[in-house]
Amino acid sequence: MPKLIIAVAIVIGAGPVVASQETDAMAPVRQFVDGFNKGDVKVTQAACADQTFIIDDFPPHEWRGSGATSKWFHDLAAIGKKHDMSDPFVTLRKPRQVNATGSHAYVVVPINLRYKDKGHLVSRTGLMTLALHKGVAGWRIAAWAWTWD
């Protein structure tokens, strides 16, 4: 019986730590989206690790290494200008999955994307999937992709 009580106490006691890890891991995801919505590449880049890997649905479809987020942001702006798309805005919904273990985390969060395509409002839903690493500066996004429904 004492072993059961100890096991229950450990599980109950670990709850807030796990919740805090998951909340902390979501902070750079929110920072990334806030920066994206404001068109602030510096804020968006700051949410990411120096070595980041990105997959997206427009060419070249992958960005990697130092400054990948800034390069992706620049390429997104260029394709938006070329195709008369503007005013992108992402809304994060309740995360489906936030698994934070030690210095690694895996996050899947539904998103809503709105933008104007030749002046007409377009809305899309999808998922943002991210891998994060925790270092001296805290959690940072190491890799991400979004997919559309």
Side-chain angles (χ1 to χ4, degrees), residues 96-131:
R96 286 190 185 172
Q97 196 171 358
V98 181
N99 297 334
T101 307
S103 61
H104 299 280
Y106 176 78
V107 174
V108 178
V109 60
I111 59 172
N112 294 329
L113 169 67
R114 293 186 330 258
Y115 62 94
K116 291 181 183 173
D117 185 357
K118 297 177 182 64
H120 295 93
L121 187 62
V122 175
S123 294
R124 297 175 83 179
T125 59
L127 295 172
M128 190 171 191
T129 304
L130 309 99

Side-chain angles (χ1 to χ4, degrees), residues 78-90:
I79 200 162
K81 187 174 182 176
K82 179 179 177 181
H83 294 285
D84 195 17
M85 296 168 19
S86 63
D87 303 323
F89 191 89
V90 171

Side-chain angles (χ1 to χ4, degrees), residues 49 52 61 69 140:
T52 306
H61 304 292
T69 304
R140 295 292 180 264

